[in-house]
């Protein structure tokens, strides 16, 4: 009897614990600081998870139509969402049926619904880009040219999302007149900033409604909404993983199950870089309005692949003043461009998100400045993390020193590794664009080893760089190689980190 009672007691504890664990992963309404008695729609989350933009739709009886307006909320220091605010111009200007499709990973660019030309919205079918200005506001929207877009879109609904690397846009719409069942499409960015004709993603599309795509910040995991057979009721959220760069091959979509989906309409699934919580629209009963924004803690099997959020400021190395610049990140193994971000013109703040699996180099680009590159080796997969790295830019002035960070040699030798070529090729391009520029390449070591060995190694490494530049057509008379050994440390040699900082190659502007 005692054993039976003990078993029942343990069973009740197990059931209680199981119920608690299940409840912890159920959607949680964000409350009346964000949600209202109207319909909240299309939440968009910043990469750092601290800002949210969304659409609020209300029915205006006098005009017998739905009026949509754009709102935003920020998290406080405790991680709680503050009272939502109406967005200032140019976002809300009396127009109906608008929406924010994306906030870029750098948090300095927003994609909105509606095609703008010369500051005026000329059609609601297309999309426009809005970037921050130097005073903390936003510039005039600029229309995005998408080949064949207006002739393709004929249905009732339309939506878009920009991929995290900014190289493609994914859409949902119907090519049937007044059609309500949508398909998913992919469009790629051209070199002139326009986008290619959207192509249907045949592997994911069904005869049902496939809509509201969102590409997670790993740039591989896709979440979308569909009412295809096998779901829990109306539209459910599905997850799939991209298999190649065509964006046409995917794993079999998996329904995220009852912890995310309901018998009602579930859509607009969005996550920040950390991937621990998702935000979505829920039409469950008991909310504040017709549809509310909810947050849900994710199980590991639902999460995208982990990424690294890199943030900081772009600064003038001489004055430490902020600079508006483009931030370019690339795969150092092959020099391929992996994405572009921009910094805030007022503060210089930037953010980029890097997936694991590659050794990344990144730097800022601005006319009349020379960038100092940085790198982050993410070849070994790890957990989500946030890293702060300020990026510095050097003005074109005689005597200014520029460190070449992304330069790699064989251990104890002067042989350049291929990962060095992207940064060295940028130096080649700089010298080609500035025919009067003359520089000194200086090699430096830490204090390990004899003075003679360090002097020889530092000189040999500087000469290796000069040799590479001359093979690319740069006149040797414009280049000087010097080896300084351990005589010019930039920090202590008492730590591994300090010695790594002291082992470097840099160039000094001799004439300009």
């Amino acid at each position: 009897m005692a054993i039976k009672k003990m078993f029942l007691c343990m069973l009740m504890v197990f059931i209680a614990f199981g119920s608690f664990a299940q409840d912890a992963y159920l959607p949680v309404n964000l409350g009346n600081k964000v949600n209202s008695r109207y319909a909240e729609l299309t939440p968009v989350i910043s990469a750092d998870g601290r800002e949210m933009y969304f659409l609020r739709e209300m029915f205006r009886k006098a005009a017998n139509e739905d009026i949509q307006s754009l709102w935003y909320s920020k998290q406080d220091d405790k991680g709680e969402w503050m009272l939502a605010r109406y967005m200032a111009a140019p976002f809300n200007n009396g127009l109906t049926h608008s929406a924010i499709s994306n906030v870029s990973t750098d948090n300095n660019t927003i994609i909105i619904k509606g095609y703008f030309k010369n500051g005026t919205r000329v059609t609601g079918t297309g999309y426009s880009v809005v970037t921050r200005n130097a005073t903390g506001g936003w510039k005039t929207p600029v229309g995005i040219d998408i080949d064949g877009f207006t002739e393709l879109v004929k249905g009732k609904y339309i939506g878009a999302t920009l991929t995290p690397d900014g190289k493609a846009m994914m859409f949902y719409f119907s090519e049937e007149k007044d059609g309500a069942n949508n398909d998913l499409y992919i469009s790629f960015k051209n070199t002139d900033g326009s986008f290619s004709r959207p192509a249907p993603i045949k592997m994911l599309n069904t005869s049902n409604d496939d809509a509201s795509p969102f590409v997670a910040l790993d740039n591989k995991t896709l979440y979308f909404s569909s009412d295809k057979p096998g779901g829990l009721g109306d539209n459910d959220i599905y997850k799939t993983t991209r298999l190649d760069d065509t964006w046409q091959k995917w794993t079999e979509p998996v329904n995220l199950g009852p912890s995310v989906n309901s018998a009602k309409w579930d859509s607009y699934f969005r996550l920040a870089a950390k991937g621990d919580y998702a935000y979505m629209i829920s039409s469950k009963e008991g909310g504040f309005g017709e549809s509310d924004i909810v947050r849900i803690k994710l199980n590991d099997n639902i999460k995208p692949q982990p990424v690294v959020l890199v943030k900081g400021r772009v600064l003038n190395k001489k004055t430490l003043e902020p600079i508006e610049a483009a931030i370019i990140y690339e795969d150092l193994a092959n020099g391929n461009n992996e994405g572009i971000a921009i910094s805030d013109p007022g503060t210089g703040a930037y953010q980029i998100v890097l997936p694991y699996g590659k050794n990344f180099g990144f730097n800022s680009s601005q006319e009349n400045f020379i960038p100092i590159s940085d790198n982050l080796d993410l070849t070994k997969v790890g957990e989500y993390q946030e890293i702060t790295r300020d990026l510095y830019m050097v003005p074109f002035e005689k005597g200014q020193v520029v460190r070449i960070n992304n330069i790699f040699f064989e251990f104890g030798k002067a042989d350049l590794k291929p990962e060095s070529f992207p940064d060295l090729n940028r130096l080649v391009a700089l010298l080609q664009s500035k025919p009067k520029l003359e520089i000194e390449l200086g090699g430096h070591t830490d204090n390990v080893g004899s003075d003679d060995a360090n002097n020889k190694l530092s000189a040999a490494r500087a000469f290796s760089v000069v040799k590479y530049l001359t093979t690319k057509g740069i006149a040797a008379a414009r280049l000087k190689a010097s080896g300084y050994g351990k005589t010019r440390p930039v920090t202590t040699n008492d730590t591994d980190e300090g010695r790594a900082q002291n082992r470097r190659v840099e160039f000094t502007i001799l004439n300009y």
Side-chain angles (χ1 to χ4, degrees):
M1 188 71 170
I3 294 175
K4 184 176 181 180
K5 288 182 177 180
M6 183 180 295
F7 173 77
L8 288 173
C9 182
M10 291 176 65
L11 181 60
M12 291 176 67
V13 170
F14 176 79
I15 292 172
F17 178 80
S19 298
F20 175 80
Q22 178 65 20
D23 289 342
Y25 293 89
L26 290 176
V28 176
N29 194 297
L30 294 192
N32 60 5
K33 288 186 177 181
V34 172
N35 294 311
S36 68
R37 61 191 180 95
Y38 304 107
E40 273 67 46
L41 301 167
T42 65
V44 175
I45 309 298
S46 62
D48 60 8
R50 300 299 302 273
E51 296 186 21
M52 175 171 54
Y53 305 86
F54 62 93
L55 188 66
R56 181 170 288 168
E57 183 178 82
M58 58 191 77
F59 181 73
R60 188 169 65 178
K61 188 174 182 180
N64 193 34
E65 65 176 348
D66 290 326
I67 300 299
Q68 296 178 336
S69 54
L70 299 173
W71 296 70
Y72 75 97
S73 176
K74 294 185 177 183
Q75 282 188 345
D76 60 21
D77 293 337
K78 296 180 180 179
E80 299 295 326
W81 290 102
M82 295 187 288
L83 184 65
R85 296 183 178 275
Y86 185 80
M87 294 188 71
F91 298 101
N92 287 310
N93 52 6
L95 298 172
T96 60
H97 304 294
S98 187
I100 287 179
S101 299
N102 266 92
V103 56
S104 61
T105 55
D106 55 46
N107 209 25
N108 294 318
T109 300
I110 284 179
I111 306 295
I112 63 171
K113 185 178 178 182
Y115 185 86
F116 282 74
K117 186 174 182 179
N118 298 325
T120 301
R121 184 178 179 178
V122 295
T123 175
T125 303
Y127 288 86
S128 297
V129 60
V130 191
T131 56
R132 289 191 191 271
N133 61 30
T135 60
W138 297 89
K139 299 177 183 178
T140 301
V142 177
I144 301 172
D145 292 321
I146 307 166
D147 182 32
F149 196 68
T150 54
E151 67 182 70
L152 286 172
V153 180
K154 299 176 182 177
K156 294 181 178 179
Y157 309 107
I158 179 178
T161 185
L162 188 71
T163 58
D165 59 7
K167 293 182 177 182
M169 290 185 75
M170 190 173 286
F171 302 96
Y172 71 90
F173 57 81
S174 174
E175 293 188 51
E176 295 183 6
K177 184 174 176 56
D178 298 326
N181 284 344
N182 303 288
D183 283 330
L184 302 178
Y185 293 77
I186 189 71
S187 171
F188 298 102
K189 192 173 185 177
N190 301 315
T191 55
D192 63 357
S194 64
F195 281 77
S196 66
R197 185 182 181 89
I201 305 176
K202 296 179 180 180
M203 189 171 180
L204 299 179
N205 292 329
T206 68
S207 58
N208 293 75
D209 180 35
D210 305 303
S212 67
F214 170 72
V215 183
L217 291 172
D218 62 7
N219 212 37
K220 290 184 177 180
T221 306
L222 171 68
Y223 302 91
F224 67 98
S225 176
S226 178
D227 64 350
K228 64 182 180 178
L232 300 182
D234 206 330
N235 280 52
D236 284 351
I237 307 298
Y238 289 80
K239 173 190 174 183
T240 178
T241 302
R242 180 167 60 90
L243 297 177
D244 68 6
D245 291 337
T246 67
W247 292 77
Q248 292 290 343
K249 295 182 180 180
W250 302 81
T251 60
E252 184 67 26
V254 176
N255 189 300
L256 295 191
S259 65
V260 172
N261 295 311
S262 69
K264 299 288 186 177
W265 182 74
D266 301 303
S267 192
Y268 300 111
F269 191 87
R270 301 290 186 266
L271 319 94
K274 192 173 183 179
D276 53 347
Y277 287 94
Y279 295 83
M280 59 183 288
I281 294 299
S282 177
S283 302
K284 284 185 177 180
E285 295 179 1
F288 290 89
E290 184 179 344
S291 61
D292 288 348
I293 301 173
V294 298
R295 185 178 80 165
I296 178 171
K297 184 176 176 63
L298 298 184
N299 290 311
D300 288 342
N301 63 317
I302 295 176
K303 294 179 181 179
Q305 298 177 21
V307 296
V308 175
L309 176 67
V310 184
K311 57 185 177 180
R313 301 174 68 199
V314 181
L315 302 171
N316 183 321
K317 186 70 165 65
K318 181 181 179 180
T319 66
L320 299 184
E321 295 175 338
I323 297 176
E324 180 182 9
I327 294 88
I328 303 162
Y329 48 104
E330 62 194 355
D331 182 352
L332 289 178
N334 51 32
N336 288 345
N337 184 314
E338 296 292 317
I340 298 177
I342 61 173
S343 63
D344 186 310
T347 66
Y350 80 94
Q351 286 184 160
I352 57 175
V353 176
L354 304 177
Y356 282 95
K358 297 178 180 179
N359 185 8
F360 289 96
F362 50 99
N363 66 83
S364 47
S365 176
Q366 172 60 274
E367 191 176 1
N368 298 323
F369 284 91
I370 305 170
I372 299 178
S373 298
D374 207 336
N375 76 284
L376 200 57
D377 189 348
L378 301 180
T379 50
K380 294 182 179 179
V381 177
E383 298 180 345
Y384 171 80
Q385 57 179 313
E386 295 184 8
I387 296 175
T388 299
R389 295 277 183 91
D390 289 337
L391 296 176
Y392 294 94
M393 305 196 75
V394 178
F396 279 102
E397 295 178 7
K398 186 175 180 178
Q400 289 293 317
V401 179
V402 181
R403 180 175 178 135
I404 311 175
N405 274 323
N406 295 339
I407 188 167
F408 308 94
F409 297 94
E410 297 292 342
F411 179 74
K413 298 180 180 179
D415 301 326
L416 287 165
K417 289 186 174 182
E419 294 91 333
S420 308
F421 298 160
D423 245 24
L424 292 180
N425 289 337
R426 267 190 293 275
L427 181 53
V428 170
L430 174 66
L431 289 162
Q432 290 173 337
S433 67
K434 307 289 184 181
K436 294 183 180 181
L437 179 62
E438 298 178 3
I439 62 174
E440 178 198 39
L441 278 302
H444 303 265
T445 68
D446 56 29
N447 67 345
V448 178
S450 68
D451 291 351
D452 183 61
N454 283 329
N455 290 338
K456 288 181 179 179
L457 179 61
S458 62
R461 287 182 168 177
F463 181 75
S464 287
V465 176
V466 168
K467 183 179 179 180
Y468 183 89
L469 298 177
T470 56
T471 61
K472 298 296 183 179
I474 305 301
R478 301 171 60 191
L479 310 170
K480 177 183 177 182
S482 301
Y484 293 99
K486 65 179 185 181
T487 62
R488 297 185 180 183
V490 293
T491 187
T492 179
N493 275 306
D494 295 335
T495 64
D496 290 340
E497 293 80 7
R499 288 188 289 273
Q501 285 293 309
N502 289 329
R503 297 189 298 268
R504 68 197 189 278
V505 174
E506 55 194 20
F507 69 86
T508 302
I509 299 176
L510 300 177
N511 286 299
Y512 170 61

